[in-house]
Amino acid sequence: MTDIEYMRLALQLAESVKGRTSPNPLVGAVVVREQRIVGMGAHLRAGNHHAEVNALNMAGIDAKGSTMYVTLEPCNHQGRTPACTERIIKEGIRKVYVAALDPNPLVAGKGIKKLEDAGIEVSVGLLQSEANKLNEVFNKYILTKMPYVILKAAMTLDGKLATRIGDSKWITNEASRLKVHQIRNETDAIMIGVQTVINDDPMLTTRLPEGGHNPIRIIIDSHLSIPETAKILNTKDAQTIIVCTQDRNVEKQKWLEKLEVKVIVSKSKDGYVDISDCLAKIGELQITSVLVEGGSKLHGSFLLEKQFDKVIVFIAPKLIGGTNAIHAFGGKGLEYMSEAVNLDNILIEQFDGDICITGYPI
């Protein structure tokens, strides 16, 4: 195997636990001695051993004089676990390939320097772009303390989220819906507007054949108008957070809190929850990623404020028409084409006839 293949294996190990390590990064490590893999590891969850330690534990005495491939710069500070650089030095690793530097100010090149000062050869940048993309959520959160926001929509070919009477089951097919549950499984939180609760009464859980992680459920409900009978209030599958403004029903808030629903009072903008303040308060809870699933008005608010990092749109080859049908991105919208959000790094996938387009705002 080549250096690239060893590092690609480390990246695969890191990706295998996507959605489980928050607020920590995804990291994989491979230890190689005399062209033989003697250790492999990934960071499995916050508070557990880091990937380097797991790989070194597997390698045992074979670690001495070996080469390590790690997807993110080894930490050089004591957190919930000891510094990985100390362990690497102690085990007598000869050379370390690092895919990407850690943007965390506590690390930020200090791990590399520590290894080099100990006489270990370090090479940085092997499959760097792949490593940075893998940790796009962590990289944003560690620098801004704001969650990584993914706008997800499912619409017909003519851009409708639902028919003129609000019927939306189902726009996309089973393969597309399965993909959405896979995305939920990898995300800290899922967000919808209260109108979607009123219209669809969703559970917002992850339903995969093998089970999965249920993200925190966040409802944007400016005035606390959520129905008391909503399923999301009467199930304990995941934590539920409702974000409102100061102009809310205080008695309703007390009732919700008795149900163990966390109510966050955000600043208001034009009478509704201010998106920027909402995201800042969510970030304070160490929620590093949010999947915004709508509806139309909420999508429109995020678009208008340009408060998102990725867009995932599923398009079904269906036409329903109707001037009063619900658009995927509602609200007042942008006024000029020059204000339109352009997307880059486009990925186009197909799910049994549905088209999925993923892009990043420029």
Side-chain angles (χ1 to χ4, degrees):
M1 292 176 67
T2 64
D3 293 331
I4 288 178
E5 289 171 322
Y6 289 131
M7 186 62 81
R8 186 156 284 126
L9 175 58
L11 287 167
Q12 290 170 355
L13 290 167
E15 189 170 20
S16 69
V17 289
K18 195 172 184 180
R20 301 296 181 270
T21 64
S22 179
N24 288 358
L26 295 162
V27 186
V30 174
V31 179
V32 178
R33 182 175 180 180
E34 297 175 354
Q35 301 296 311
R36 181 171 58 92
I37 296 174
V38 294
M40 297 187 296
H43 177 48
L44 302 179
R45 93 180 39 249
N48 286 11
H49 287 317
H50 289 185
E52 300 95 316
V53 172
N54 286 330
L56 289 169
N57 286 344
M58 180 179 175
I61 60 173
D62 285 331
K64 187 174 179 60
S66 65
T67 298
M68 173 178 281
Y69 300 81
V70 61
T71 59
L72 189 68
E73 178 182 4
C75 65
N76 187 43
H77 64 283
Q78 174 77 44
R80 282 194 269 183
T81 59
C84 291
T85 51
E86 297 287 353
R87 179 67 185 275
I88 292 170
I89 293 167
K90 178 183 175 182
E91 295 294 342
I93 297 292
R94 178 183 61 84
K95 182 172 183 177
V96 178
Y97 284 91
V98 176
L101 294 178
D102 191 333
N104 186 344
L106 291 173
V107 186
K110 296 173 185 175
I112 300 297
K113 187 176 186 304
K114 179 76 171 182
L115 295 177
E116 290 178 334
D117 287 348
I120 297 173
E121 184 182 353
V122 181
S123 176
V124 180
L126 184 64
L127 299 184
Q128 181 176 5
S129 60
E130 290 92 330
N132 282 332
K133 186 171 183 179
L134 182 65
N135 272 317
E136 58 191 9
V137 170
F138 172 78
N139 290 344
K140 179 189 178 182
Y141 183 77
I142 201 67
L143 292 175
T144 67
K145 299 304 177 187
M146 295 278 279
Y148 189 91
V149 177
I150 305 167
L151 288 189
K152 172 261 164 183
M155 64 185 190
T156 60
L157 191 59
D158 51 346
K160 310 300 185 184
L161 194 69
T163 68
R164 60 185 173 82
I165 63 169
D167 182 35
S168 62
K169 289 184 171 50
W170 293 101
I171 289 176
T172 54
N173 60 36
E174 289 186 13
S176 293
R177 297 199 296 274
L178 180 62
K179 177 63 177 178
V180 171
H181 285 286
Q182 290 172 345
I183 298 169
R184 288 183 181 181
N185 183 52
E186 298 172 352
T187 311
D188 283 359
I190 180 172
M191 178 186 288
I192 60 172
V194 68
Q195 195 60 47
T196 299
V197 177
I198 293 169
N199 293 343
D200 300 339
D201 199 16
M203 295 284 286
L204 299 183
T205 53
T206 297
R207 297 182 294 280
L208 293 171
E210 66 275 14
H213 148 80
N214 286 326
I216 296 168
R217 303 175 294 195
I218 301 175
I219 313 300
I220 304 300
D221 184 3
S222 297
H223 310 297
L224 296 185
S225 57
I226 187 169
E228 295 182 3
T229 56
K231 292 176 184 175
I232 203 168
L233 300 180
N234 296 285
T235 60
K236 303 295 183 182
D237 298 295
Q239 180 186 2
T240 300
I241 297 172
I242 298 181
V243 185
C244 61
T245 67
Q246 291 184 338
D247 185 23
R248 80 277 191 199
N249 183 328
V250 177
E251 291 304 313
K252 185 77 164 284
Q253 178 179 346
K254 293 176 182 177
W255 179 80
L256 289 166
E257 289 172 340
K258 287 180 181 179
L259 294 179
E260 299 180 353
V261 173
K262 184 175 183 63
V263 178
I264 296 176
V265 180
S266 173
K267 294 178 182 177
S268 64
K269 187 172 184 178
D270 299 326
Y272 298 98
V273 167
D274 181 278
I275 297 300
S276 296
D277 187 60
C278 168
L279 292 174
K281 286 181 165 59
I282 290 169
E284 290 172 2
L285 301 177
Q286 288 197 320
I287 295 173
T288 66
S289 58
V290 177
L291 177 65
V292 181
E293 288 207 14
S296 176
K297 185 177 179 180
L298 188 62
H299 277 146
S301 296
F302 273 87
L303 175 61
L304 199 62
E305 297 295 326
K306 299 183 179 178
Q307 289 283 354
F308 58 96
D309 302 285
K310 181 191 285 190
V311 179
I312 303 176
V313 177
F314 291 85
I315 304 172
K318 300 175 181 177
L319 300 168
I320 57 175
T323 302
N324 296 321
I326 302 172
H327 296 271
F329 290 82
K332 62 181 181 181
L334 300 169
E335 294 184 352
Y336 301 102
M337 282 301 300
S338 60
E339 298 176 306
V341 176
N342 292 300
L343 302 180
D344 198 7
N345 296 320
I346 302 297
L347 172 66
I348 300 175
E349 302 172 278
Q350 200 164 2
F351 295 96
D352 288 352
D354 289 351
I355 297 169
C356 178
I357 299 177
T358 302
Y360 298 80
I362 300 173

